[in-house]
Amino acid sequence: MTRILDVARMHTIAWVGQLAWPWGIMAISLGVNLLIFASIDEAAPGKNTTGGLASLYIVCAIVAAASISQVFPFALGMGVTRRTFYLATVLVNVVQAVVYGILLYLLNLIEGATGGFGIQLRFFRIPYIDVDNGLLQIAVYAVPFLFLNFLAVFASVWYVRFGMNGLLGAGAALILVTGLLVALITWQGWFGDIWQWLSSQHQVSLLVGWPALIAAVAALGGMAAIRRANA
């Protein structure tokens, strides 16, 4: 465990990418949305909702993918095993998700206490993902980080392992399988049943349960792929 913690510190060397860029871009997005909605004389009730928060998740996923190509060769050069490096990467992403989830929850409270920053803006309190339970709200914010980051890490590891041809081949295979599934569902008329199943899912399942499961599968897939990856 001590070795994993030591390797995890390698990721903190690039703190600008890990912290400054994601939150800086989100702050810019928040500022732009504040200016836009403040300039509207009278917005319709409930229309001051924005998806600008997604910028934080997207940039974090990009940074997570880049951490493999940037830190992995250095770690191998330092004699770190692939297993230790990957476990350290998983640890960093899990801690990051929890900490960022807590920070977003605090910003959620500030937004609520200030009446949407004085203009009823819903930047952090997005409908449907805004829940009453504090711990659940943190999980709702945190799990998407794990979902996107581990998918990005898996894609990056796959690229390191198989190169560009392998990455494009996997993408082509994914498109093919997805297309065949859509064709099958359309042919069998299953869209109504699928929509009914999704509608019957609890909010916690859709926001936390299923994304966490997919994140775990992606993390395990990355662990399997990195065993033979070379920098």
Side-chain angles (χ1 to χ4, degrees), residues 99-113:
V99 172
Y100 284 12
I102 293 173
L103 292 176
L104 289 177
Y105 175 60
L106 294 177
L107 291 171
N108 178 303
L109 295 179
I110 293 173
E111 182 177 284

Side-chain angles (χ1 to χ4, degrees), residues 119-156:
I119 58 174
Q120 300 302 316
L121 179 66
R122 297 183 71 94
F123 189 90
F124 301 102
R125 298 177 300 119
I126 303 173
Y128 189 74
I129 71 169
D130 186 35
V131 297
D132 295 330
N133 185 284
L135 290 177
L136 178 58
Q137 185 66 73
I138 292 174
V140 168
Y141 283 136
V143 170
F145 282 114
L146 298 178
F147 173 77
L148 292 175
N149 284 15
F150 282 133
L151 286 177
V153 166
F154 175 76
S156 185

Side-chain angles (χ1 to χ4, degrees), residues 157-198:
V157 169
W158 191 270
Y159 171 76
V160 172
R161 172 67 177 85
F162 297 104
M164 181 58 69
N165 288 331
L167 184 62
L168 293 177
L174 179 61
I175 293 173
L176 176 61
V177 171
T178 302
L180 291 175
L181 283 176
V182 171
L184 176 62
I185 292 171
T186 304
W187 176 45
Q188 295 293 330
W190 290 339
F191 277 111
D193 295 332
I194 292 174
W195 177 254
Q196 184 177 3
W197 179 80
L198 288 173

